[in-house]
Amino acid sequence: MLSSTSSFRPSDAPPTYQRELPAINLGRTWAIAALLFVIGFVLWELKWRTFGVEPSYRNSDGAWATQRRRIDQGEGHKTVLIGSSRVLFDVQLPIWQRVFGERPIQLALEGTSPIFALEDLADDPKFTGRLLIGITPPLFFSGFDRREKAVKTWRNETLAQRSGQWLSMLLLEPFFSFYDEDYALMTVLKRQEWWPVRPGVFLFKDVRRLAAQDADRNTRLWQKLETDLEYQALAKSIWRQLFAPPPGVTPEMARQNAEKQLERAVAAVAKLKARGVPVMFLRPPSTGEFLEAENKGFPRERTWNVLLERTGAPGIHFEDYPELQGLRLPEWSHLSAADAEIFTERLCRILEREHGWSAKSSTP
Amino acid sequence: MPPSTAEMLFNSLTFIVFFIVVLALHNAPLPWHAKKVNLLIASYIFYAAWSPPFVVVLWISTAIDWFVAKRLYVTEGIGKRRTLLWISMAANLGLLGYFKYGGFLVENFAIAAGAYGITYSPPTWNIVLPVGISFYTFQTMAYSLDVYFRRAKPAKSFLDFALFVTFFPQLVAGPIVRPVDLIPQFATPRTATPRQLGWGLMLMVLGLFQKIVLADGFLAPVADKVFGAKEMLHPLDAWLGTLAFSGQIFFDFAGYTTTAIGCALALGFSIPDNFRAPYAAIGFSDFWNRWHISLSSWLRDYLYIPLGGNRKGPVRTYINLMTTMLLGGLWHGAAWTFVVWGGLHGFYLCAERWLKPRLGHLAVWGTVGGKIALALLTYFLVNLTWVFFRAQDFSTARRMITSMLLIDGSGKPVLTMWFVISAAAVIAVMLITHWRLRHQTLHEEVQRWPALAVGTAWGAMLWLIVTTQGGGNAFIYFQF
């Protein structure tokens, strides 16, 4: 006899499959599970609050895509900031807004060369505003593009991804300290120092949490870097790992790579200029061993000076401006939150004074 | 062809909100017809959240098999019936071929032409693979094939059939549910009983724990590190990377199906198991009765048996086994590494079939030690196949196998002690659990525990899911 709605089954299963259930008290089980979960959850959140963490928006590709989309949605005439973590942490959007009357779109990404973002904006006719490009020499001239996926996310973001980003920013990120990739359980376990070292395996210490971020990606150095000397020392020890050239990269390879990045920058800036977009390079401050390593590996005359010369774009190097020096960089690479505000104010004044940037010039 | 990683994933906030809304609507005081329409719309939204245009492909597959099956049922002439069946096969396999295998075929044609001195530069095949196409096309083909073979009548309601094809819990990565298992459940009103809801939600927690904590949290970084290495690896690293992948793919896929089963149960529907402790398998027939059961039984019923199965003599049986497994390998992806994976499984099945009458009678296989030895041998051989499944190319696979078989033991260690210890611990616990569940189901095991122990285990899983956070990684089987 044929079954009523199709399909032969080799087994002798009943016509309508019915899943069996365990003979246990599910209500009591759920009550115990929920209680234990809530206790564990609260303790975990408290642990990170005690460590000094406050809720912060995540510096995710989705957050970047949200800001990048503003250019498509009628804000293409605004100032856009790209670069690495120094522009991200050191340029404070509220201060910029106070000076210029306009809050820029923050598209800088940490630990990566901004070349891909520069090329992306150069190819986008909707972007007609002003562009500030932060230069961290070891990243920019090596072309290290750790966060290039952000652009792909913006281009290909699906409805599911966009709604996920929106829900995360609405329901989780503003409220929970533990909700940060630095405090994901596996990351925490992996970083414990009790694990024996395996001979022959290179142990690279990951960069730890450095900043706190707002919904529009305005970002500031985390206060713990200023107040907790042990944490500050950890951050410095992590930077020290980066001072030597990566294994297998010869000086000639590094030179060729830097040349390639210069060519990419020249081509992108030419496109922007042709569209009438003012472009400004910025070399934010660094200090201590970090600055020494940068000057040794990427001396100004072979990098920054060449970049300005070949692109024909103006630039602001912190070494050329006394008012941009002497500020506090707790871990050699980023300004403290308070000094980032001072830096931004002074930067804006230089832009205004020497390059004619004003609130008016950014309107379409 | 890059796998898509932007679907509405079970391990995402969007899905949690989506599921709460669906659950609320399904339990609202609405007529059964309206609830089914709600489920169908929700399923299309679930799929469209990845890419709205590809819903059309889903519609094409649904519409063709609905009409073909109806016509098949009332058509008598063998010629006409074959033509109708060919329409279904051509449409479904055509969609699959175009989206999944087009680039692979063109690329290999160019290589073959080059071997004969003919230069052919194929155009870039930049076609996105619709998520879940391998699953839903197999599901709709099974429906038409059953009606063709006069094993079943077509469904009476188009809504029920469309919901069967599209039902969101199993739409994108299975199980490949048979019509008889699901369509009758749409005929009468059903919402979950409180016990079904409770157990369904527990299964969802278990599935997400498998995916987020075990697959993505513990094992994926180890497998990625090892298979991403460009140099010869130390044998311990090569083995741990492969073992980690064996666990990753199990927890990823079983995690998906467990979540899907739980999700359906919370709505009042029952979907059959897709895994039964596969790494406790003794031999490869046993393995394929435990691993991706819905695919292996599909291949058996709609490919191996129609090819003649074991009814046409030993040689044909071996050929049929190899053909089935090679195509099964290719089902997973358009790459020769998948073909080798399927070929190895076919070879294992053939070898087992040849050896069984010759060595199967030995008393040692009946002892606990003998069974454990055979299970470990099976797991060892399965791991060799996983190397080809995971490796991005043959040179990586060759390096891995060379190191694992100690042909070259001079490789470099790359795994830190955390990776070594955590992966080894998870794999050990997985194997013990599979052995324990070898002859029983999860619910049978769970009901032996006191409520306090079960509650503690599920509370811990929930906590681990939340604290692991998870990066919203796509399930591996989405790309198939």
Side-chain angles (χ1 to χ4, degrees):
Chain A
M1 194 177 107
L2 299 180
S3 74
S4 61
T5 46
S6 170
S7 197
F8 143 86
R9 267 171 56 95
S11 63
D12 293 319
T16 304
Y17 176 73
Q18 188 73 33
R19 176 163 287 279
E20 289 181 65
L21 305 174
I24 56 169
N25 185 332
L26 288 168
R28 190 188 302 163
T29 304
W30 261 114
I32 294 164
L35 179 69
L36 289 176
F37 167 71
V38 170
I39 292 169
F41 181 85
V42 170
L43 289 176
W44 188 247
E45 175 68 10
L46 280 176
K47 173 187 164 58
W48 296 112
R49 297 257 175 174
T50 312
F51 187 64
V53 187
E54 283 177 5
S56 166
Y57 288 90
R58 295 175 77 138
N59 185 15
S60 59
D61 291 344
W64 190 91
T66 305
Q67 294 306 305
R68 176 64 182 83
R69 222 164 19 245
R70 288 170 59 191
I71 293 171
D72 307 330
Q73 293 166 344
E75 295 187 68
H77 61 281
K78 286 194 168 169
T79 302
V80 172
L81 313 178
I82 61 171
S84 309
S85 56
R86 289 179 190 162
V87 161
L88 186 64
F89 300 2
D90 295 354
V91 179
Q92 292 302 300
L93 306 188
I95 306 299
W96 186 292
Q97 187 175 16
R98 199 177 68 208
V99 176
F100 287 129
E102 169 216 68
R103 201 169 173 97
I105 297 172
Q106 178 56 278
L107 294 180
L109 284 160
E110 86 294 351
T112 192
S113 161
I115 279 278
F116 62 86
L118 174 61
E119 290 174 332
D120 164 53
L121 291 170
D123 290 334
D124 185 354
K126 288 192 190 122
F127 173 55
T128 55
R130 297 183 297 209
L131 184 63
L132 184 80
I133 309 168
I135 302 295
T136 300
L139 293 170
F140 191 91
F141 294 101
S142 67
F144 184 66
D145 53 6
R146 195 177 69 92
R147 296 290 304 267
E148 192 174 3
K149 199 167 145 274
V151 174
K152 289 179 187 151
T153 300
W154 160 65
R155 285 207 182 108
N156 306 319
E157 209 174 19
T158 63
L159 292 172
Q161 286 174 311
R162 282 176 72 163
S163 62
Q165 178 65 32
W166 180 75
L167 286 168
S168 177
M169 292 180 75
L170 181 76
L171 302 174
L172 298 180
E173 295 174 29
F175 306 109
F176 300 110
S177 296
F178 80 89
Y179 192 57
D180 181 307
E181 60 183 357
D182 241 35
Y183 311 126
L185 185 63
M186 298 304 152
T187 306
V188 174
L189 286 172
K190 185 180 81 171
R191 289 176 180 172
Q192 295 304 314
E193 291 184 355
W194 66 60
W195 299 113
V197 175
R198 193 169 167 220
V201 179
F202 176 62
L203 199 60
F204 185 86
K205 279 191 276 187
D206 301 333
V207 177
R208 302 300 202 268
R209 183 185 204 257
L210 292 174
Q213 195 165 83
D214 300 333
D216 68 351
R217 300 189 78 252
N218 182 54
T219 308
R220 71 204 72 81
L221 192 72
W222 186 20
Q223 212 173 9
K224 193 173 180 70
L225 269 303
E226 297 177 50
T227 56
D228 185 337
L229 295 181
E230 200 181 327
Y231 196 75
Q232 193 184 95
L234 173 67
K236 287 177 178 172
S237 72
I238 290 167
W239 294 145
R240 277 195 196 97
Q241 301 174 116
L242 305 171
F243 294 161
V249 177
T250 63
E252 179 55 22
M253 284 162 73
R255 196 195 60 74
Q256 284 177 2
N257 200 15
E259 178 59 28
K260 198 171 148 194
Q261 307 314 315
L262 278 166
E263 283 169 13
R264 290 172 70 184
V266 168
V269 170
K271 282 186 195 173
L272 288 162
K273 280 178 158 181
R275 226 171 40 236
V277 173
V279 175
M280 175 70 59
F281 287 104
L282 170 68
R283 167 65 163 95
S286 55
T287 187
E289 290 179 39
F290 212 125
L291 180 60
E292 283 170 30
E294 285 177 319
N295 287 340
K296 193 176 159 199
F298 301 87
R300 179 176 172 166
E301 60 279 8
R302 291 214 318 258
T303 54
W304 171 263
N305 292 355
V306 181
L307 178 68
L308 297 197
E309 187 190 320
R310 290 191 34 196
T311 57
I316 298 171
H317 195 299
F318 78 97
E319 288 175 338
D320 298 336
Y321 295 88
E323 66 266 44
L324 299 183
Q325 296 170 34
L327 298 168
R328 189 157 177 249
L329 295 97
E331 36 67 88
W332 301 329
S333 187
H334 306 96
L335 293 165
S336 67
D339 282 12
E341 295 193 355
I342 297 168
F343 173 80
T344 308
E345 169 96 33
R346 292 175 182 174
L347 173 69
C348 291
R349 297 298 171 208
I350 295 168
L351 285 167
E352 214 172 19
R353 187 177 70 234
E354 297 187 7
H355 301 281
W357 283 33
S358 64
K360 277 182 186 171
S361 66
S362 71
T363 51
Chain B
M1 198 179 303
S4 173
T5 55
E7 307 80 8
M8 193 196 288
L9 305 168
F10 285 158
N11 51 329
S12 69
L13 278 173
T14 308
F15 180 76
I16 294 172
V17 174
F18 167 85
F19 187 62
I20 290 169
V21 173
V22 171
L23 204 56
L25 280 173
H26 195 65
N27 286 283
L30 295 168
W32 179 234
H33 184 81
K35 286 185 180 182
K36 285 196 287 188
V37 171
N38 282 342
L39 283 178
L40 187 65
I41 292 170
S43 297
Y44 285 128
I45 290 172
F46 178 85
Y47 197 76
W50 163 65
S51 177
F54 282 111
V55 172
V56 175
V57 181
L58 197 54
W59 286 341
I60 291 171
S61 188
T62 308
I64 287 175
D65 284 285
W66 167 254
F67 287 112
V68 163
K70 269 183 102 68
R71 291 297 307 159
L72 267 173
Y73 189 64
V74 295
T75 303
E76 287 301 330
I78 185 73
K80 283 183 185 170
R81 287 173 58 77
R82 275 193 184 150
T83 306
L84 283 165
L85 184 68
W86 273 110
I87 290 171
S88 165
M89 297 297 111
N92 284 299
L93 296 177
L95 287 172
L96 208 51
Y98 175 74
F99 286 109
K100 190 165 178 175
Y101 301 106
F104 179 69
L105 290 173
V106 168
E107 196 180 297
N108 281 282
F109 176 77
I111 292 168
Y116 290 97
I118 303 163
T119 308
Y120 169 61
S121 302
T124 310
W125 195 270
N126 204 11
I127 306 292
V128 176
L129 177 67
V131 169
I133 190 168
S134 308
F135 291 91
Y136 64 73
T137 49
F138 268 45
Q139 203 158 298
T140 56
M141 275 196 291
Y143 175 76
S144 293
L145 280 162
D146 282 349
V147 177
Y148 175 78
F149 287 123
R150 297 202 186 280
R151 294 165 180 164
K153 294 176 191 172
K156 287 175 186 160
S157 150
F158 179 73
L159 176 61
D160 289 4
F161 177 68
L163 193 51
F164 157 70
V165 178
T166 319
F167 191 44
F168 71 87
Q170 42 79 229
L171 171 61
V172 290
I176 304 167
V177 183
R178 298 296 179 85
V180 72
D181 284 333
L182 195 53
I183 294 179
Q185 298 186 48
F186 297 135
T188 51
R190 62 176 64 213
T191 49
T193 63
R195 290 184 54 71
Q196 282 179 319
L197 180 65
W199 183 236
L201 293 176
M202 283 175 74
L203 288 177
M204 289 178 79
V205 171
L206 175 63
L208 292 174
F209 169 74
Q210 289 178 299
K211 166 65 179 166
I212 295 170
V213 180
L214 300 177
D216 290 351
F218 279 106
L219 300 173
V222 180
D224 290 349
K225 182 95 182 162
V226 167
F227 281 91
K230 300 289 175 211
E231 67 271 24
M232 182 66 77
L233 293 172
H234 189 278
L236 176 68
D237 296 67
W239 264 110
L240 270 174
T242 305
L243 292 171
F245 181 68
S246 77
Q248 183 198 352
I249 192 149
F250 168 73
F251 288 126
D252 189 285
F253 196 14
Y256 181 87
T257 46
T258 305
T259 313
I261 288 165
C263 186
L265 192 61
L267 291 164
F269 301 98
S270 294
I271 293 179
D273 288 333
N274 211 17
F275 292 90
R276 282 188 209 117
Y279 291 141
I282 296 177
F284 283 84
S285 301
D286 192 22
F287 178 79
W288 283 104
N289 279 323
R290 295 167 175 278
W291 179 274
H292 201 172
I293 299 163
S294 63
L295 176 69
S296 57
S297 60
W298 196 102
L299 291 171
R300 179 193 61 204
D301 296 342
Y302 300 107
L303 185 59
Y304 177 70
I305 291 174
L307 282 172
N310 58 4
R311 302 185 309 276
K312 296 192 174 177
V315 176
R316 273 296 297 273
T317 302
Y318 291 129
I319 292 171
N320 293 342
L321 272 176
M322 285 305 294
T323 308
T324 304
M325 294 315 292
L326 285 169
L327 289 172
L330 206 52
W331 177 90
H332 286 84
W336 289 110
T337 45
F338 288 120
V339 177
V340 171
W341 175 81
L344 275 173
H345 272 284
F347 171 73
Y348 291 158
L349 284 165
C350 291
E352 181 179 305
R353 192 173 184 83
W354 188 81
L355 285 170
K356 218 166 191 172
R358 289 163 179 82
L359 299 174
H361 61 280
L362 298 177
V364 66
W365 308 133
T367 64
V368 174
K371 284 179 183 169
I372 291 176
L374 280 180
L376 287 174
L377 176 66
T378 307
Y379 183 56
F380 167 81
L381 293 171
V382 166
N383 271 287
L384 294 185
T385 70
W386 284 136
V387 171
F388 292 93
F389 196 94
R390 174 62 177 81
Q392 55 273 38
D393 49 46
F394 280 109
S395 61
T396 305
R398 186 183 53 77
R399 272 201 313 275
M400 291 288 292
I401 295 285
T402 306
S403 179
M404 286 164 72
L405 298 181
L406 306 177
I407 297 165
D408 184 337
S410 65
K412 274 179 58 182
V414 292
L415 296 176
T416 61
M417 203 54 98
W418 151 252
F419 281 149
V420 171
I421 293 171
S422 61
V426 171
I427 294 302
V429 172
M430 176 185 76
L431 292 179
I432 292 166
T433 310
H434 279 212
W435 190 253
R436 192 173 165 85
L437 292 175
R438 187 174 146 69
H439 293 300
Q440 63 184 338
T441 60
L442 178 70
H443 77 270
E444 287 167 342
E445 173 70 21
V446 163
Q447 66 195 8
R448 289 204 184 94
W449 298 10
L452 180 66
V454 181
T456 304
W458 257 262
M461 283 194 275
L462 259 178
W463 183 81
L464 286 163
I465 289 168
V466 171
T467 55
T468 299
Q469 297 181 28
N473 295 328
F475 290 85
I476 296 174
Y477 265 69
F478 277 21
Q479 64 190 289
F480 304 143

